[in-house]
Amino acid sequence: MFVPKKEYTEYEYKSLRLPKELVEQAQDVAKKYELSFNKIVIQCMEYALNEMNE
């Protein structure tokens, strides 16, 4: 189950082009959990990568 967190210590800048629908969905989740769009995208990527490796 995906559970948003609020903590990260190091960042690297990357520019991404994302489908509008995904951006809107991620913004909705960010608003719901009072987190930034960036933090939600990071956590979604971590979740997907962890699930892929299992």
Side-chain angles (χ1 to χ4, degrees), residues 2 8 14 16 18 38-52:
F2 177 73
Y8 287 96
K14 293 289 181 188
L16 301 171
L18 302 169
N38 189 64
K39 287 182 180 178
I40 293 299
V41 171
I42 290 168
Q43 290 178 60
C44 288
M45 289 177 66
E46 284 180 335
Y47 179 81
L49 292 170
N50 287 336
E51 289 298 310
M52 212 169 91

Side-chain angles (χ1 to χ4, degrees), residues 3-39:
V3 179
K5 320 180 266 195
K6 292 190 178 191
E7 299 177 20
Y8 287 96
T9 56
E10 288 188 53
Y11 295 91
E12 184 171 326
Y13 178 81
K14 293 289 181 188
S15 178
L16 301 171
R17 280 185 277 166
L18 302 169
K20 184 177 179 178
E21 183 178 304
L22 288 179
V23 170
E24 290 169 353
Q25 290 176 351
Q27 286 174 326
D28 289 344
V29 172
K31 184 177 179 180
K32 177 179 178 181
Y33 290 97
E34 297 180 356
L35 296 170
S36 71
F37 172 81
N38 189 64
K39 287 182 180 178

